[in-house]
Amino acid sequence: MAQFTDKIEPKDFPKMPKEYQDLLTRLLTIQADCEIGGPHIYVDHWTLRAPTVDDQWRVARIAAEEIDHCRKMLRLLGLIGSDRSDILTRPRSKREVEAFKEDMPTWADFAAFGMLIDKVGEYQLDEMISSSYQPIEDYLPQILREEKGHISYGQQQLEKLVRSGDEGRTQAQAAIDKWYVVGLDMFGQSNSARTERYIEWGLKRRTNEEARRQYIAEVDPQIEALGLVIPNKLQGRKYL
Ligand SMILES: [Fe+2]
Ligand SMILES: [Fe+2]
């Protein structure tokens, strides 16, 4: 597949073919929506209910970082003349990605969300490394560093729950069962024609299937290392 290797600055954007303009706008809009989608699920419920004051501080800090990631994606959209600040007030049911329509009733859910869904977020952002859209480069390193922090905090919290006894372990397993399948679905259809166009235009690096396979290879051993059971992948829908 021939790949586009130029670097596009905002001033070049209007001269690009419509397909490029549409794909870049779509990619950044979905990412902005995902970044703000997390805080919309957990801030009200968990900021002042997390188990300790340190955890409450960490939830607030994670939310602040996600809001900042959203702010950066909206800035990148602004540079190409798109104002999508409407996503800030979008109802949860209208989020771009199913994961952000879910509820998070237990602390184990918050932890599993960090371990598994922020991990998918890391994969999505990883696609943008060496993007043909130059301004992304300025923001990615810090965002990726912060995502890794969210993921490891989620893992630590699950580990604590597992160690706390049968009730904690049961909650941790239930949360892994729920969010693992949601996470696998986030990679999208295996035979997505759009993904090939993203790759050709230098806006993504991997197909949905490749990314999902690498994700499974990375998280399955982590779930086992927690002493938990890897959920049944066949419950996933989009890639069957
Ligand atoms: Fe984020
Ligand atoms: Fe995150």
Side-chain angles (χ1 to χ4, degrees), residues 31 34-36 39 42 62 65-70 73 118 121-122 125 143-144 146-147 150:
Q31 192 60 39
C34 289
E35 298 290 0
I36 201 67
Y42 56 71
I62 290 170
E65 289 171 356
E66 299 298 11
I67 293 166
D68 185 52
H69 301 170
C70 175
M73 291 298 147
D118 285 72
E122 185 192 358
L125 291 158
I143 296 179
L144 278 165
E146 288 167 351
E147 293 303 349
H150 306 167

Side-chain angles (χ1 to χ4, degrees), residues 51-63:
T52 68
V53 73
D54 289 334
D55 294 314
Q56 294 186 8
W57 175 83
R58 195 68 184 97
V59 173
R61 178 72 186 268
I62 290 170

Side-chain angles (χ1 to χ4, degrees), residues 176-191:
I176 289 284
D177 288 347
K178 169 176 176 169
W179 294 102
Y180 182 83
V181 176
V182 172
L184 293 185
D185 272 354
M186 280 174 80
F187 289 95
Q189 309 264 5
S190 292
N191 54 357

Side-chain angles (χ1 to χ4, degrees), residues 128-179:
M128 299 183 195
I129 291 174
S130 315
S131 171
S132 58
Y133 183 53
Q134 185 69 38
I136 291 178
E137 301 277 313
D138 298 337
Y139 291 128
L140 269 188
Q142 187 186 346
I143 296 179
L144 278 165
R145 207 163 45 240
E146 288 167 351
E147 293 303 349
K148 285 184 203 307
H150 306 167
I151 296 160
S152 59
Y153 177 70
Q155 282 174 325
Q156 286 162 23
Q157 292 306 305
L158 279 175
E159 199 179 343
K160 260 192 188 172
L161 277 164
V162 169
R163 287 220 203 104
S164 71
D166 284 349
E167 197 188 324
R169 170 186 295 273
T170 304
Q171 278 195 6
Q173 183 67 56
I176 289 284
D177 288 347
K178 169 176 176 169
W179 294 102

Side-chain angles (χ1 to χ4, degrees), residues 72-84:
K72 286 170 170 156
M73 291 298 147
L74 291 177
R75 263 189 224 144
L76 289 171
L77 281 162
L79 291 173
I80 54 172
S82 180
D83 174 5
R84 291 311 308 273

Side-chain angles (χ1 to χ4, degrees), residues 7-130:
K7 292 290 175 186
I8 302 303
E9 295 287 350
K11 67 174 171 43
D12 307 318
F13 181 77
K15 291 178 262 174
M16 292 300 289
K18 186 167 184 308
E19 183 181 45
Y20 184 89
Q21 296 186 1
D22 289 349
L23 287 173
L24 177 59
T25 304
R26 179 185 160 86
L27 184 70
L28 294 173
T29 304
I30 293 173
Q31 192 60 39
D33 189 67
C34 289
E35 298 290 0
I36 201 67
H40 272 269
I41 305 179
Y42 56 71
V43 164
D44 284 355
H45 189 80
W46 286 114
T47 308
L48 295 172
R49 288 195 188 91
T52 68
V53 73
D54 289 334
D55 294 314
Q56 294 186 8
W57 175 83
R58 195 68 184 97
V59 173
R61 178 72 186 268
I62 290 170
E65 289 171 356
E66 299 298 11
I67 293 166
D68 185 52
H69 301 170
C70 175
R71 179 162 68 155
K72 286 170 170 156
M73 291 298 147
L74 291 177
R75 263 189 224 144
L76 289 171
L77 281 162
L79 291 173
I80 54 172
S82 180
D83 174 5
R84 291 311 308 273
S85 49
D86 60 292
I87 65 165
L88 299 176
T89 51
R90 192 179 252 180
R92 201 194 290 180
S93 61
K94 295 281 191 304
R95 289 277 162 230
E96 300 274 0
V97 170
E98 295 301 311
F100 300 99
K101 299 177 183 174
E102 298 285 334
D103 276 326
M104 207 179 269
T106 70
W107 181 243
D109 285 314
F110 182 86
F113 186 92
M115 176 173 167
L116 297 176
I117 305 303
D118 285 72
K119 186 79 193 170
V120 180
E122 185 192 358
Y123 270 69
Q124 288 168 340
L125 291 158
D126 209 60
E127 294 298 324
M128 299 183 195
I129 291 174
S130 315

